[in-house]
Amino acid sequence: LDLQFRERWQERRWCTWLGSSALRWRFGKETLDDESPIQRACHLPQPTLILHGTEDHLVPLQEVQHFQEKMECLGSDCKVVTFPGEGHFFFNWRVSPVNFHRCVGLLGDFLKQVGVLS
């Protein structure tokens, strides 16, 4: 969410550092700040569900919690479901079929709750 990757910077992988440097070089610091989802958070009429691994080193949980807080301050319904001990790709079938099925179930329940599925 933070395109400058400031949260928990010491725990980031080298490829994240390289990607962050390339983004800053290509687009500039101000553009990254302006386009960051944390900065662009706004009130949404529909609820938001975020599924997130607690050990995600690409997008640390603190960034997601910050985003959730900002969305809620703006009056949006934003729910975060954490997957303890899981990284960034926890929902991928090839990484964990168990997590994949749990995510599909959570998404199905969420879509029923908001009236998209019956």
Side-chain angles (χ1 to χ4, degrees):
L1 294 173
D2 175 9
L3 297 177
Q4 297 236 23
F5 304 103
R6 290 174 283 237
E7 290 279 337
R8 294 174 60 186
W9 59 269
Q10 66 277 18
E11 298 175 23
R12 304 285 181 146
R13 295 182 181 182
W14 68 269
C15 56
T16 304
W17 282 97
L18 183 60
S20 175
S21 296
L23 287 171
R24 278 194 305 277
W25 177 79
R26 171 68 172 91
F27 298 104
K29 181 184 180 307
E30 287 182 16
T31 300
L32 292 183
D33 282 340
D34 292 345
E35 297 300 319
S36 175
I38 289 174
Q39 301 303 322
R40 295 178 56 106
C42 61
H43 174 74
L44 296 175
Q46 64 276 5
T48 304
L49 174 65
I50 300 172
L51 307 177
H52 199 80
T54 61
E55 298 302 314
D56 189 329
H57 294 291
L58 188 60
V59 181
L61 182 58
Q62 290 89 342
E63 288 183 16
V64 173
Q65 291 167 331
H66 181 132
F67 181 79
Q68 177 189 26
E69 290 168 8
K70 190 163 185 181
M71 293 294 286
E72 289 175 346
C73 285
L74 293 167
S76 293
D77 180 9
C78 184
K79 180 179 179 184
V80 175
V81 176
T82 59
F83 285 69
E86 297 295 338
H88 192 71
F89 298 102
F90 69 92
F91 55 88
N92 188 312
W93 170 263
R94 292 181 185 116
V95 173
S96 174
V98 172
N99 284 340
F100 175 81
H101 287 293
R102 181 173 174 218
C103 288
V104 169
L106 288 167
L107 289 171
D109 292 344
F110 174 75
L111 293 173
K112 287 176 188 171
Q113 179 185 4
V114 300
V116 174
L117 295 178
S118 54

